[in-house]
Amino acid sequence: MTKDSQKSILGEKELIILAMGQTRSQCPYDAEVWALNNGYKQIKQAGGYLNKLFLAHTQVKTNEGENVFDWEEINSLGIEVINTHRVKGLNSKLFPMKRIVEKLGSDYFSDTTCYVMAYAIDKVTQKR
């Protein structure tokens, strides 16, 4: 099967899950892009785009007491935001925890990347 004939879970040819690793600078931005946490800032700096942002946090503070997340800035991105928590001031959809836990038979997700991958698996199996 050639790359052009492949179908992905979202009707696109590929899905890019862009986390915070150093190779994110090599992202071709040639498919749907899902990002994690403050990764949208690096994407913006790189001139890329994203379609969805995933969070698994309420507000987090730096050692200096400053907010890690800027809810206003995230709201202004104009994209779908999915969070595992309800957060006052953040326009987001709640991660479908109950459905995904029941479907996968596990409630253990070690980090935001795991939530994103579980969400992608859920999307694949919903279309069947």
Side-chain angles (χ1 to χ4, degrees):
M1 182 182 298
T2 67
K3 184 176 178 180
D4 289 338
S5 66
Q6 293 174 348
K7 296 290 180 189
S8 87
I9 60 175
L10 303 169
E12 299 288 328
K13 294 179 182 174
E14 293 181 5
L15 169 65
I16 297 168
I17 298 174
L18 194 56
M20 303 291 289
Q22 290 186 359
T23 59
R24 70 181 176 269
S25 64
Q26 298 170 19
C27 181
Y29 297 102
D30 60 355
E32 181 155 337
V33 179
W34 294 358
L36 292 73
N37 302 318
N38 277 334
Y40 71 90
K41 292 179 181 180
Q42 289 83 12
I43 291 169
K44 189 176 180 180
Q45 289 172 344
Y49 68 89
L50 68 153
N51 303 93
K52 262 187 221 309
L53 180 65
F54 289 81
L55 302 167
H57 299 282
T58 56
Q59 189 56 267
V60 180
K61 302 279 187 180
T62 65
N63 289 338
E64 294 77 28
E66 297 176 19
N67 290 339
V68 169
F69 297 107
D70 183 339
W71 303 140
E72 252 183 68
E73 182 179 33
I74 291 172
N75 289 339
S76 74
L77 296 173
I79 59 167
E80 185 175 24
V81 177
I82 298 173
N83 197 349
T84 58
H85 302 279
R86 292 191 194 282
V87 175
K88 186 177 180 179
L90 177 64
N91 299 328
S92 64
K93 291 183 179 179
L94 197 58
F95 182 86
M97 186 71 74
K98 183 178 180 183
R99 182 180 71 236
I100 289 176
V101 166
E102 287 174 0
K103 187 179 285 186
L104 299 180
S106 176
D107 63 355
Y108 177 72
F109 303 99
S110 63
D111 57 28
T112 310
T113 304
C114 294
Y115 285 103
V116 176
M117 294 180 75
Y119 189 88
I121 291 167
D122 180 57
K123 290 296 180 194
V124 169
T125 57
Q126 278 183 339
K127 294 187 180 233
R128 290 184 181 161

